[in-house]
């Protein structure tokens, strides 16, 4: 039996998929400082902490519900 491993970092594509938005919307939110702070692992390799993205998604759902 394999256990599912939760990633520590996610790409822009994965973050957008978690939030059910387009990748361009994700990048726009990053430019507006609306999204969690990015981590630059190397040139051309930007990632976000999985926990930060999930917390952000939950906060967005709360705002929409309110």
């Amino acid at each position: 039996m394999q256990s599912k491993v939760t990633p520590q970092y996610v790409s822009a594509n994965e973050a957008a998929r978690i939030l059910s938005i387009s990748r361009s919307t994700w990048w726009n939110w990053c430019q507006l400082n609306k999204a969690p702070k990015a981590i630059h692992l190397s040139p051309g390799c930007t990632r976000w902490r999985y926990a930060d993205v999930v917390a952000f998604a939950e906060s967005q759902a709360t705002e929409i519900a309110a």
Side-chain angles (χ1 to χ4, degrees):
M1 179 180 182
Q2 290 182 326
S3 63
K4 186 173 181 178
V5 177
T6 303
Q8 279 194 307
Y9 299 102
V10 294
S11 66
N13 287 341
E14 293 164 329
R17 195 173 316 123
I18 290 168
L19 290 157
S20 298
I21 59 172
S22 69
R23 198 174 86 199
S24 61
T25 297
W26 175 254
W27 282 113
N28 285 337
W29 287 358
C30 291
Q31 289 179 337
L32 296 170
N33 293 321
K34 186 176 177 182
K37 186 175 174 164
I39 299 168
H40 301 280
L41 299 176
S42 66
C45 185
T46 304
R47 297 291 185 263
W48 292 262
R49 286 186 180 91
Y50 176 79
D52 293 348
V53 173
V54 170
F56 177 71
E58 290 171 355
S59 73
Q60 293 300 302
T62 303
E63 284 182 24
I64 292 170

